[in-house]
Amino acid sequence: MSDRLYLFAPAEVDAPWQFCLLGDEDERVEGSGLETAAAAPVTREQAPVVTLVLPGEHVLRTAVSVPARSRRQLEMAVPYQVEEYLAEDVEQLHLAIGQRQADDRVPVAVIAPDRLQAWLDEARSAGLAISHARLDLEGLEPADADFAVWVEGQRAWVANRSGDAVIVDRMLLAQVLSTMITNQPGDAALTLRLITAPDDDAVDLAQLDSLLAQERPVTIEREHAAGTRIGMLAAGLDRHPGLELLQGRFAVARGPNQGWMRWRLVAGLAMAALALQLTLDLGRSVWLEQRALTLRESAVELFREIHPERSRVVDPRRELQAMLDGGGEQGGAAFLELLGASAQRIAELDDAQIQIRSLTFNAQRGDLAVDMMAAGINTVDRFKADMEDNGFPVVIDSAVQEAQAVRARLRIRTGGAS
């Protein structure tokens, strides 16, 4: 088995590259710097297999439910499923799509292509031939737990068994976990594996347990890290490689395989045998795809006739089902109540600048997701406090400083919502 070199790209411009070289019999070499990684000693004569590991701060990693079965259908449907999580045009981003999981969901990773290309170019300029690219969060294994959390410095790495993963400020850990727990299916008790440095006792387990218990019973199992975060993530990725990020135009061309050369005649005969069947099916496949597109356009037209206020319709069947499940007039009343209360609070903040980027009402949960740009984090906190003072609970899902403003995503519920 070849040595495996895991090359961790820096999350920040001025941060160094880090690496972990894994050899036979648990041999491990860690260090920093691309030149040092290229010169790292190996246990075998051949060059190690190099995997570029991307920082979770720059990658959206989630899993979506897609009814499509073929690979082509998945590639067409997934962008629509993840579009609501993105601030940028999904067509300008690089999507990596994995294989369908046991729970019938499909793992997806989204990243800016220019950032991925810059990391690849920098690594290759140091003489490192990149074979794979993975996400560091996938090395954080929940193992027998439902959630795994690694806390180091001011950041926390969070992953769950379903494939959702995120890196957040440790001050927002409880809020993020609460949101992820709320979205977990079922109502059974959950387990959480919390890993911290041996000298880090700043995480108040009692307080964290109390906050999470408001959503669902959670058993927290705390353990101290036996090694470094880089070593732990590399070992996890070595056992479970996870989602390959080098797809599409980033896919790595593989060298000739002797096994394939031996079987190329058999493969050629098989392809020839399939050619006739493919020719016969081609016309029918094209017709069926065109018919499906026509039917979808008709469904969207009919949906807009019923609900002319909806300008963007992704999946008319699911959206109509969500409206029916949401309780019809009751769901509409909840939306208007939340919208009116939010507008009134924003109007009262006359000395602060708030710009609403998007609003999404979930009729099933009865909450309103607000994506806003605010003058500062204090403005977001004031808005949250004013809403809660008027009986509307608010959860801040994210708050990111961008240039001269703060971009925040909040979920607002009616006072009677659970």
Side-chain angles (χ1 to χ4, degrees):
M1 182 178 182
S2 301
D3 292 342
R4 289 86 61 208
L5 176 62
Y6 290 91
L7 193 61
F8 289 78
E12 299 158 356
V13 175
D14 55 350
W17 286 74
Q18 295 179 291
F19 70 88
C20 180
L21 177 64
L22 300 179
D24 296 336
E25 300 179 358
D26 296 329
E27 293 182 71
R28 179 182 301 178
V29 177
E30 296 182 32
S32 62
L34 287 174
E35 292 75 14
T36 308
V42 296
T43 60
R44 294 180 177 269
E45 293 182 359
Q46 66 267 37
V49 176
V50 183
T51 298
L52 173 65
V53 184
L54 306 189
E57 293 93 333
H58 296 284
V59 182
L60 168 65
R61 172 66 168 85
T62 187
V64 296
S65 297
V66 183
R69 290 289 168 180
S70 73
R71 188 68 184 183
R72 181 178 179 184
Q73 290 173 333
L74 281 176
E75 292 173 351
M76 293 175 62
V78 165
Y80 291 102
Q81 298 282 11
V82 301
E83 189 175 19
E84 63 178 290
Y85 303 113
L86 306 174
E88 303 174 63
D89 185 350
V90 67
E91 295 182 358
Q92 304 301 317
L93 299 171
H94 171 62
L95 272 66
I97 305 172
Q99 301 298 320
R100 192 176 297 275
Q101 300 173 334
D103 62 1
D104 217 32
R105 298 203 303 167
V106 177
V108 183
V110 186
I111 185 173
D114 55 346
R115 181 172 285 126
L116 175 56
Q117 187 63 60
W119 281 325
L120 288 169
D121 291 343
E122 191 173 354
R124 288 165 178 164
S125 67
L128 293 163
I130 304 298
S131 298
H132 306 281
R134 311 291 187 194
L135 176 62
D136 60 356
L137 284 162
E138 293 193 329
L140 183 60
E141 302 175 274
D144 295 332
D146 296 288
F147 288 85
V149 178
W150 177 289
V151 179
E152 180 180 305
Q154 296 304 312
R155 294 187 297 176
W157 286 254
V158 184
N160 67 11
R161 190 178 293 173
S162 301
D164 297 316
V166 67
I167 297 177
V168 298
D169 187 288
R170 71 186 292 164
M171 301 301 293
L172 298 176
L173 176 59
Q175 292 177 327
V176 171
L177 281 172
S178 177
T179 300
M180 295 178 73
I181 287 172
T182 301
N183 294 330
Q184 284 287 107
D187 54 6
L190 301 174
T191 55
L192 187 150
R193 178 183 174 218
L194 176 64
I195 310 169
T196 60
D199 57 349
D200 186 351
D201 294 320
V203 179
D204 189 331
L205 290 186
Q207 182 183 30
L208 183 61
D209 182 68
S210 176
L211 290 172
L212 298 183
Q214 297 177 21
E215 302 293 341
R216 195 157 165 184
V218 179
T219 300
I220 301 177
E221 302 170 354
R222 183 170 194 163
E223 62 182 81
H224 291 305
T228 66
R229 173 174 55 87
I230 295 299
M232 183 273 294
L233 294 176
L237 289 170
D238 204 51
R239 288 189 291 269
H240 305 288
L243 175 59
E244 174 62 72
L245 302 180
L246 297 184
Q247 299 182 17
R249 69 183 181 94
F250 290 102
V252 177
R254 309 297 174 184
N257 184 287
Q258 293 182 352
W260 161 252
M261 295 297 288
R262 287 195 301 267
W263 287 93
R264 62 181 180 178
L265 177 59
V266 176
L269 292 173
M271 292 297 293
L274 288 173
L276 178 60
Q277 185 63 45
L278 289 174
T279 301
L280 294 174
D281 290 344
L282 180 60
R284 185 174 63 176
S285 297
V286 172
W287 181 86
L288 287 174
E289 286 188 13
Q290 186 59 44
R291 180 60 177 164
L293 288 173
T294 302
L295 290 174
R296 185 186 183 283
E297 290 173 359
S298 300
V300 170
E301 254 182 63
L302 179 60
F303 185 92
R304 284 176 174 160
E305 287 180 10
I306 300 172
H307 297 282
E309 75 281 0
R310 300 293 291 273
S311 60
R312 180 175 176 272
V313 182
V314 176
D315 188 331
R317 184 193 66 77
R318 289 180 59 193
E319 294 185 30
L320 184 59
Q321 185 64 49
M323 289 181 176
L324 294 173
D325 293 341
E329 293 182 358
Q330 182 179 357
F335 170 72
L336 293 176
E337 181 183 12
L338 291 169
L339 183 61
S342 301
Q344 184 176 352
R345 300 290 85 72
I346 293 174
E348 290 173 357
L349 295 174
D350 52 2
D351 62 335
Q353 297 296 323
I354 291 183
Q355 177 186 359
I356 301 300
R357 295 173 60 93
S358 67
L359 297 169
T360 304
F361 179 68
N362 190 306
Q364 292 178 310
R365 294 197 306 264
D367 64 17
L368 179 67
V370 181
D371 191 351
M372 64 168 60
M373 298 296 294
I377 191 63
N378 291 335
T379 303
V380 178
D381 291 336
R382 286 176 58 194
F383 174 81
K384 178 178 184 293
D386 288 349
M387 290 295 293
E388 292 181 338
D389 287 343
N390 286 273
F392 296 92
V394 178
V395 174
I396 301 178
D397 289 337
S398 65
V400 180
Q401 182 71 45
E402 294 185 0
Q404 304 300 320
V406 170
R407 179 176 180 183
R409 185 174 178 84
L410 301 81
R411 287 186 296 109
I412 308 170
R413 301 179 180 176
T414 60
S418 57

